Amino acid sequence: MRYEFVLDERLGIPLPALALDWEMYTAEERSDILLQWEEIRAKIPDRIIQLETVINRKQTQLSEEENFAVSCELNSEIHELASVINDLNIWFRVQQEHQTGHAHL
């Protein structure tokens, strides 16, 4: 297969796995890739909201936690979730940048 979308467990969404440089795909293939990506991309805001809900719950736990080791673990988990949100925001912008000619999948 010349391209596929592979689930990224960390982000919780499929990401493009392109075997060729973008310019090597036919116009039809590029259109298909972008259509599939747009469907995935549309789900990113909902995924971010899910992660923000988890962060809020963990922050509440953190504010009530008295055990230092548990507090450190909660803080680490919050940091990782925030990092995932940041990466999702970057992927969300990929299509917008492609449309302006600044980047592609």
Side-chain angles (χ1 to χ4, degrees):
M1 172 161 277
R2 293 165 52 96
Y3 70 89
E4 63 182 325
F5 287 82
V6 179
L7 179 64
D8 183 293
E9 296 291 335
R10 180 175 170 268
L11 299 181
I13 62 167
L15 295 178
L18 305 180
L20 305 171
D21 288 337
W22 183 249
E23 297 77 21
M24 305 265 313
Y25 289 100
T26 66
E28 183 178 342
E29 287 174 317
R30 283 186 258 182
S31 179
D32 289 343
I33 293 167
L34 290 174
L35 179 63
Q36 288 180 47
W37 174 245
E38 190 56 33
E39 291 171 1
I40 294 165
R41 184 178 169 267
K43 298 175 185 174
I44 291 175
D46 290 336
R47 177 73 178 129
I48 290 172
I49 289 169
Q50 291 172 339
L51 294 171
E52 287 173 339
T53 299
V54 175
I55 287 174
N56 289 337
R57 189 173 60 243
K58 289 186 179 290
Q59 286 178 324
T60 299
Q61 290 175 300
L62 181 61
S63 69
E64 298 169 358
E65 184 57 56
E66 294 182 15
N67 182 305
F68 181 72
V70 174
S71 294
C72 289
E73 181 62 30
L74 285 167
N75 201 29
S76 178
E77 291 170 8
I78 291 167
H79 178 268
E80 175 57 25
L81 291 167
S83 175
V84 170
I85 289 172
N86 184 59
D87 290 349
L88 286 168
N89 277 314
I90 291 168
W91 277 105
F92 187 75
R93 288 192 300 268
V94 166
Q95 177 69 17
Q96 292 169 339
E97 291 170 355
H98 175 73
Q99 290 173 343
T100 63
H102 291 35
H104 53 76
L105 293 176

